Amino acid sequence: MEEVIRFALLGLGIGATYALSSQGLIIVYRGSGVLNFALGAIGMAGAYVWWELTTNQGWAFLPGLVAGVLFAAVIGGLVHLLIMRPLRQSAPLVRVIATLGVLITIQSIAILRYTATAKFVPSDLPIDIVHIHHTIVISSDRLILLGIACVLTLVLWLFYRFTRFGLATSAIAESERSASALGLSPDTVATLNWALGCGLAGLAAILIVPIVTLQPSVLTNLVLAATAAALVAGFRSFPIALVTGVGVGIAQTEVTRYVQQTGVGTAIPFVLIVLWLILRGRALPLRDYLLQRLPSIGSGRINWSGVTIGVVITAVLLATTPPIWIDAITVTICVAMILLSIVVLTGYAGQLSLAQFALAGFGAYVGGRLLATTGMPFWLGILFGIAATIPLGILFGLPAVRTRGINLAIVTLGLGSAIELVLFGNADFTGGFSGTQIGEPSLFGLNINAASHPTRYGLLVLVCLVIATLVVGNMRRGRSGRRLIAVRTNERAAAALGISVPGAKLYAFAVAAAIAGLGGILYAFRTTSISYTEFTSFTSITMVAYAMIGGLGYLFGPVIGATLAPGSITERLLNSIDPAIGKYIPLIGGVSVIVMVLLNQNGVVKEQIAQIRWIRSKLANAIPSLAPRQKPKRVLPQPAKVENRVEPMTLEVRNLTVRYGGTTAVDEVSLTVRPGRVLGLIGPNGAGKTSLIDAVTGFTRMAPGSELVLNGRNIGRLTATKRSRAGLGRSFQSLELFEDSTVLDNLRAASDPRDVGSYARDLIWPVNAPLPDNVLATIREFDLEDDLDRQVEDLPYGRRRLLAMARAVATESSVLLLDEPAAGLGDAETAELAHLVGRLAREWGIAVLVVEHDMNFVMSVCDELVVLDFGRTIATGTPAEVRNDPAVIAAYLGEEEDAHTTAASSRSAPSQSVLGSEGAR
C-alpha cells in the first residue's frame, strides 16, 4: 500500500501541470468557443523562450518565467486577432483546422531552431525530500506544483465568477449576440481570454519541462492530456479540471508502475477521453444546433481526359527519372491515398478524424507482420492489412454515433495516440531493433521491391491510387454519397428523411479506413525493413492540414495536398535546388494551412476549377469547343394518376409530456391527425408547439406515460429514423436544407431506397434509379421543374421554403408535420402555400399537422385546431369554435401585454391573429 501511495504522490506534479493546461483550454473555449489544439505548441514556445533566457542569457528563473509566460500570452492574443477573429463565421471544422495549422507552424519553427532532440532541464524549484510517513516521501517541487495549481484554480474561479470581465465572458459564452447588444465586445473579451489561456499554457510548460524534458513533440502533446481534464469539466469548471488533471497524473504513474506494457500509462488520458465522450455524447444535435458553412465539395464526376494525361505523365516520370525521384513520386502517391480517406470522412461525411495516419500505420502493421511471420504472398498481405483496418476504422467511428465535430476530433486523436504509444512504440510488437522484415515482395511473378525495382513499385502504387479515386468518385455520385452529404450538412434533417445517421457515419469510417490502410501499406512497404515509429499522431494532424490545402471535398485535392508531405516530390524538388530547403516543408505546410483557411477554405482545387472556367470562357470566342456545355433541359415523365399517393395513416398523440430538466415544455397533450385533414397547432411563443413536433418525430425524449400510435402501432420507442420510415415526415422551422446539394439531390436524398446493399454497390457501379411517381408528382405540385439542377444556396427564400416542404413530401410520408411553413413569406406566397397544403391533404390523402403563427393561413386551411399555452391544451375544435374561445383570447392578450408590442409588428391581436379575417374560411 505504501508503494501505491508513493507513486500517487509522484503523479501530483505532472497532474498539476495537466490541470493548469486544461484551465488554459477552458479559458480559451469559454472566451471564443474554439478548442485550441495549438495550446501545447504555444506553451512550448513560452518554455523555449524561458530556457533560452535562463540558459543562454543568464537570466534568473523568475524573470525568465515571466518573459516566457508573457511571450505565450502575446502569441495567443495574436492568433485570435489575426486568425481566429476573421474565421468567426466559419464552420467549427475550419476553426479547428486553423489551430492545427498554428500547431504545425510553431512546432516546425521550434524544430528548425532547437532540433527535435530532448533537452534535460534541471528544476529551479526546491527538490528537498519531504517525509510523510516512514518510507513515504515526496519531492518538495511536486508539492509546490500542486500548490500553484490549487492557488491558480481558486483565483480563476473567483475571477470568472465575480469580476466584471469574468461575467462578461460567461455572458458571451451564453449568447454572443445578446452580449453585444449590452455593449460587451466579444472580440476584446476573446482576445484577452486567448492571451490568458495561452499564458497559463506557457506557465504549465515551463513548470513541467524538468519532469518530462524540453522537446517540441512532448510539449505539444501536453494539450492532449489536458483535454481529458477539460472535457470532464465540461470546458467550464476550474475545480473539476483541477481534480481531474491531478487524477490523470496519478493514474499515469500508477499504471506505468504496475503495468509493464509499454505506453499504457501514457495512454491513460486518451482512454479517459474516449470513455467520457462515449458516455456523455449526444445522439443527435438539439434544435439550437447551428450549422455553419463547411468547405465546398465536388460532384465526384471523373474528368477522363485529365486523368489519362496525369497517369501518362506520372508513368513516364516513374520510368525515366532516377530512383531518388521515383521514391519521392511514390511517397506523394501513397500520401495522396491517405488524404483521399480524409476526403471521404471529412469532406463527404463531415466527420473530423485525426487518426487516419494511425489507421494507415495499423494496416501496414498487420500486413507487414503477416508477411514477416507467415511468409504469405505480398498481395495477400495487402488484402489482410486492409481487411484488418476496416473493423478498427469502424471501432474508431463508434464514438461518432454519440458525438461529433470537435469532440470527435478529440476522441479520434486520442485513439490514434493510444495505438501509437501502445503498439507502434513497442519494439516487442514490431520486430525488435531491426524492425519488421518483409523480404522481397513480388506480384504475378515480378519482383516489385521498391529498392531494386522502384519503377515497378511506383506503377503499382499509381494504379492503386487511380482505382481508389474511381471508387470514391463512384460513391460520391451514388445513393451512399447523398446519404453522407446529407449527414455532413445536417444530421437532424437526414434522420428526419429516414437516413440512418449512425449507419452513414460508420460506413464512411469503414471506407476511409480501407483506403487509409491501403495507402499506409504501400507507404511502409517501400522498404523491406519497416519501422512504425513514423506513424505518429502529429503526422495524422498534418495529414488533415494537407487535405485542407488541396481541397477537402475534391477528388484531385489529395494529390495537391500530398505534394507538401515530407519526402514528397516538392521536398525532392527543393532539395535539388538547395539541400537545406527541404527541411522547411513542414513549416511551409503549416503556414499554407493558415493562409488557406483565411483566404480560401475550399482548397486549391476549387480555385483551379474556377480559373480553368474563366480561361475557357475567355477563349470560347476563338475556340468554340472550349465554350461551357449547356445542360439540356430535363424532361420529366408524367406521374401516374392515383386517388391517394400515400398510404392513409392516423397519428394519435396521447398524454404527451416533454420536460427539459425541471421545466415542463409540453404537459399531457393529446391530439389526433387524420388522413385527408389538416390539424392546426397554435399558441403563443414558448407554448411548446415545436417541442411537441420534436417529440413526435423522435428528436426530443418523451416523459414516461406518453404514447404515440401510428395506425394502431406504438412508435414511441422508435428512433427518429425509424419513425420517418414508418410514415412520419416533417419540415423544420429553420428549413435545414442540404445547402451543398442541388434541388434534385435534396429530393433524391428524401426518396432514395434505404437499402444497405447500395453502400457496397455504389463503390463499383453507382445507380440512380428513375424518380418514383410520388417524387415526380411532388416536383410538379411544387413547381420545381426549372430548379432541379440549381444549388440550394442559389434559391430565393420563398423557393427554399417550398423545397423544404417538397423534400418532406418526397419521403412518401403518410403523416406530415409542418413547422411554421409560411414564416417569412409574403401574403401572395402564403395564400398559394395554403392552397398547396390543402391539396396535399384532400388529393394526396396525407394527414397534416401544421404549426403556424400566421392566423389567416391557419384559418384558411385547417379543419381543426389545438391551442397550447405553457405546454397545456387550452382549446380544441373547429376554427369557428376556437375563434371565440375566452381562454384563447386571454392567452394571446397576455402575450401581447408582456411583449409590449403592437398587433401588426409582433403577434396580432385576437381579432386578427386568432380569429383571422371573417371571410378567410
Side-chain angles (χ1 to χ4, degrees):
M1 185 62 185
E2 288 188 354
E3 186 175 1
V4 173
I5 297 174
R6 283 201 304 271
F7 277 91
L9 294 174
L10 283 176
L12 291 178
I14 193 168
T17 57
Y18 288 164
L20 288 175
S21 297
S22 69
Q23 288 164 357
L25 285 173
I26 292 172
I27 290 171
V28 171
Y29 189 82
R30 290 182 64 176
S32 63
V34 175
L35 176 58
N36 182 16
F37 277 111
L39 187 77
I42 295 173
M44 171 203 66
Y48 270 110
V49 168
W50 164 79
W51 177 81
E52 184 83 45
L53 294 175
T54 55
T55 303
N56 297 336
Q57 304 300 324
W59 286 35
F61 170 76
L62 191 57
L65 182 143
V66 172
V69 170
L70 287 176
F71 185 75
V74 169
I75 292 178
L78 290 176
V79 166
H80 176 262
L81 288 173
L82 301 179
I83 301 173
M84 305 313 300
R85 185 173 66 172
L87 295 175
R88 59 184 177 274
Q89 299 300 324
S90 299
L93 169 66
V94 175
R95 295 200 295 269
V96 167
I97 292 177
T99 66
L100 299 181
V102 174
L103 185 158
I104 296 168
T105 300
I106 294 177
Q107 178 159 315
S108 300
I109 292 173
I111 292 174
L112 289 171
R113 175 70 176 84
Y114 299 104
T115 75
T117 305
K119 293 178 171 56
F120 295 91
V121 180
S123 176
D124 286 285
L125 298 176
I127 55 174
D128 301 330
I129 300 299
V130 177
H131 292 270
I132 296 177
H133 178 72
H134 296 301
T135 60
I136 300 177
V137 297
I138 185 174
S139 175
S140 58
D141 62 338
R142 291 334 195 245
L143 293 176
I144 293 172
L145 290 175
L146 180 62
I148 292 173
C150 292
V151 170
L152 283 177
T153 299
L154 178 61
V155 170
L156 289 172
W157 181 80
L158 293 172
F159 180 74
Y160 279 92
R161 189 173 181 84
F162 297 109
T163 67
R164 184 180 179 85
F165 179 80
L167 295 175
T169 299
S170 299
I172 290 171
E174 292 294 331
S175 175
E176 186 173 311
R177 181 175 298 179
S178 300
S180 299
L182 296 175
L184 300 175
S185 171
D187 282 337
T188 301
V189 171
T191 302
L192 293 175
N193 276 296
W194 267 80
L196 181 57
C198 292
L200 267 180
L203 174 62
I206 292 170
L207 294 176
I208 201 176
V209 290
I211 301 176
V212 300
T213 72
L214 181 59
Q215 187 177 7
S217 61
V218 171
L219 293 179
T220 53
N221 287 334
L222 176 66
V223 71
L224 301 180
T227 300
L231 274 174
V232 174
F235 284 93
R236 294 186 62 85
S237 174
F238 296 112
I240 294 177
L242 170 68
V243 174
T244 307
V246 173
V248 168
I250 292 173
Q252 280 188 319
T253 55
E254 294 287 0
V255 171
T256 301
R257 169 63 182 86
Y258 292 104
V259 179
Q260 302 304 314
Q261 181 65 49
T262 302
V264 173
T266 310
I268 287 294
F270 311 122
V271 174
L272 177 60
I273 287 171
V274 173
L275 293 177
W276 186 262
L277 287 178
I278 290 176
L279 293 175
R280 300 284 292 183
R282 191 180 301 279
L284 286 170
L286 296 175
R287 79 169 173 257
D288 61 353
Y289 174 73
L290 298 178
L291 184 72
Q292 293 164 296
R293 189 68 177 146
L294 290 165
S296 64
I297 53 178
S299 64
R301 297 188 184 93
I302 305 297
N303 183 342
W304 290 104
S305 59
V307 169
T308 302
I309 293 172
V311 168
V312 169
I313 292 175
T314 305
V316 170
L317 291 174
L318 289 171
T320 58
T321 54
I324 193 170
W325 283 89
I326 295 175
D327 183 64
I329 296 172
T330 303
V331 168
T332 303
I333 298 173
C334 292
V335 172
M337 264 185 280
I338 299 172
L339 300 189
L340 187 62
S341 74
I342 298 175
V343 169
V344 172
L345 194 54
T346 306
Y348 292 167
Q351 309 303 303
L352 178 56
S353 170
L354 299 180
Q356 291 309 104
F357 202 60
L359 288 172
F362 184 78
Y365 172 80
V366 173
R369 295 306 300 164
L370 286 175
L371 262 65
T373 57
T374 67
M376 68 170 49
F378 172 77
W379 64 270
L380 196 56
I382 291 180
L383 293 181
F384 272 108
I386 295 173
T389 309
I390 291 174
L392 183 64
I394 294 174
L395 179 64
F396 275 35
L398 287 177
V401 176
R402 299 279 296 163
T403 187
R404 63 191 52 78
I406 295 173
N407 287 349
L408 180 60
I410 296 171
V411 73
T412 53
L413 182 59
L415 288 168
S417 298
I419 288 180
E420 174 196 348
L421 294 168
V422 176
L423 184 62
F424 299 156
N426 192 330
D428 294 337
F429 294 155
T430 57
F433 179 77
S434 60
T436 297
Q437 306 294 321
I438 63 171
E440 293 280 334
S442 63
L443 187 66
F444 305 126
L446 292 175
N447 188 322
I448 55 171
N449 188 328
S452 57
H453 298 88
T455 297
R456 293 177 184 175
Y457 191 80
L459 291 173
L460 170 66
V461 171
L462 176 61
V463 170
C464 290
L465 175 62
V466 172
I467 293 174
T469 302
L470 294 178
V471 165
V472 173
N474 289 339
M475 181 192 67
R476 166 66 183 91
R477 300 191 306 276
R479 293 177 193 167
S480 53
R482 280 192 291 273
R483 293 171 190 166
L484 295 185
I485 292 167
V487 170
R488 168 195 194 259
T489 310
N490 194 308
E491 291 183 21
R492 277 166 51 89
L497 298 179
I499 295 173
S500 171
V501 174
K505 288 182 177 181
L506 295 179
Y507 171 74
F509 271 94
V511 174
I515 296 172
L518 174 61
I521 292 168
L522 297 175
Y523 180 87
F525 283 17
R526 293 167 24 251
T527 174
T528 57
S529 179
I530 303 174
S531 173
Y532 297 98
T533 55
E534 60 183 320
F535 291 98
T536 65
S537 57
F538 180 75
T539 311
S540 286
I541 292 173
T542 60
M543 289 293 159
V544 175
Y546 298 150
M548 178 78 182
I549 293 171
L552 280 172
Y554 295 88
L555 295 177
F556 190 61
V559 177
I560 300 294
T563 60
L564 292 172
S568 69
I569 189 69
T570 299
E571 181 175 302
R572 172 50 39 207
L573 181 63
L574 293 176
N575 280 335
S576 67
I577 299 172
D578 185 342
I581 297 179
K583 63 183 179 182
Y584 291 94
I585 285 289
L587 176 60
I588 294 172
V591 174
S592 298
V593 171
I594 296 172
V595 172
M596 193 61 63
V597 296
L598 289 173
L599 301 181
N600 180 15
Q601 67 182 37
N602 296 319
V604 172
V605 172
K606 172 72 171 179
E607 188 65 27
Q608 288 178 338
I609 293 173
Q611 291 174 352
I612 292 172
R613 287 176 179 171
W614 181 82
I615 293 172
R616 291 184 64 172
S617 67
K618 294 299 181 183
L619 298 177
N621 291 333
I623 310 175
S625 61
L626 294 179
R629 297 178 182 176
Q630 297 295 326
K631 290 185 179 180
K633 185 177 180 180
R634 288 183 180 271
V635 179
L636 300 177
Q638 288 290 337
K641 292 184 178 181
V642 295
E643 183 177 350
N644 286 324
R645 293 199 171 275
V646 300
E647 178 186 353
M649 290 187 181
T650 298
L651 172 67
E652 297 176 74
V653 179
R654 301 171 183 170
N655 301 317
L656 178 63
T657 300
V658 176
R659 296 189 181 94
Y660 302 112
T663 302
T664 300
V666 181
D667 193 1
E668 296 187 350
V669 173
S670 298
L671 53 85
T672 302
V673 191
R674 297 178 176 85
R677 296 178 64 82
V678 180
L679 174 66
L681 184 65
I682 64 174
N685 283 328
K689 304 181 296 297
T690 300
S691 292
L692 184 144
I693 289 183
D694 282 347
V696 170
T697 52
F699 293 95
T700 296
R701 183 175 298 176
M702 301 184 301
S706 306
E707 284 188 83
L708 290 178
V709 179
L710 184 64
N711 249 26
R713 176 191 179 193
N714 193 322
I715 61 171
R717 294 182 178 274
L718 299 183
T719 63
T721 297
K722 291 182 178 179
R723 292 185 198 188
S724 172
R725 294 179 183 179
L728 283 185
R730 69 166 294 177
S731 68
F732 293 89
Q733 182 178 344
S734 55
L735 301 184
E736 306 198 21
L737 296 168
F738 305 138
E739 302 285 341
D740 293 319
S741 302
T742 63
V743 170
L744 181 59
D745 279 341
N746 269 261
L747 297 176
R748 280 195 178 276
S751 62
D752 279 339
R754 304 301 176 210
D755 58 315
V756 178
S758 61
Y759 278 131
R761 185 185 62 245
D762 283 347
L763 299 176
I764 308 301
W765 190 259
V767 175
N768 289 315
L771 292 172
D773 279 347
N774 185 61
V775 178
L776 293 172
T778 301
I779 293 171
R780 283 184 163 77
E781 190 74 57
F782 286 83
D783 192 25
L784 294 173
E785 292 98 327
D786 296 333
D787 295 322
L788 292 178
D789 292 318
R790 295 180 67 181
Q791 292 292 126
V792 171
E793 60 188 359
D794 297 332
L795 294 177
Y797 182 76
R799 306 297 291 171
R800 291 159 63 87
R801 275 280 168 197
L802 287 177
L803 175 60
M805 276 187 58
R807 189 181 65 179
V809 173
T811 61
E812 300 189 24
S813 299
S814 297
V815 180
L816 187 61
L817 292 81
L818 304 176
D819 195 355
E820 299 195 23
L825 299 182
D827 291 341
E829 292 174 312
T830 300
E832 181 183 347
L833 182 63
H835 287 297
L836 180 56
V837 172
R839 288 199 304 272
L840 291 176
R842 293 188 303 271
E843 299 175 13
W844 290 48
I846 298 177
V848 180
L849 172 68
V850 59
V851 170
E852 184 53 66
H853 287 292
D854 188 321
M855 290 301 110
N856 286 329
F857 175 92
V858 170
M859 293 295 173
S860 67
V861 75
C862 293
D863 301 292
E864 186 181 359
L865 295 177
V866 174
V867 186
L868 300 183
D869 192 24
F870 294 106
R872 287 182 172 272
T873 303
I874 61 172
T876 61
T878 66
E881 293 169 340
V882 169
R883 180 180 293 125
N884 297 312
D885 192 295
V888 176
I889 295 174
Y892 276 82
L893 281 175
E895 186 196 31
E896 287 186 352
E897 291 174 359
D898 291 341
H900 297 288
T901 59
T902 65
S905 63
S906 175
R907 269 231 140 76
S908 300
S911 61
Q912 295 181 12
S913 65
V914 178
L915 302 180
S917 61
E918 287 296 331
R921 189 167 174 76

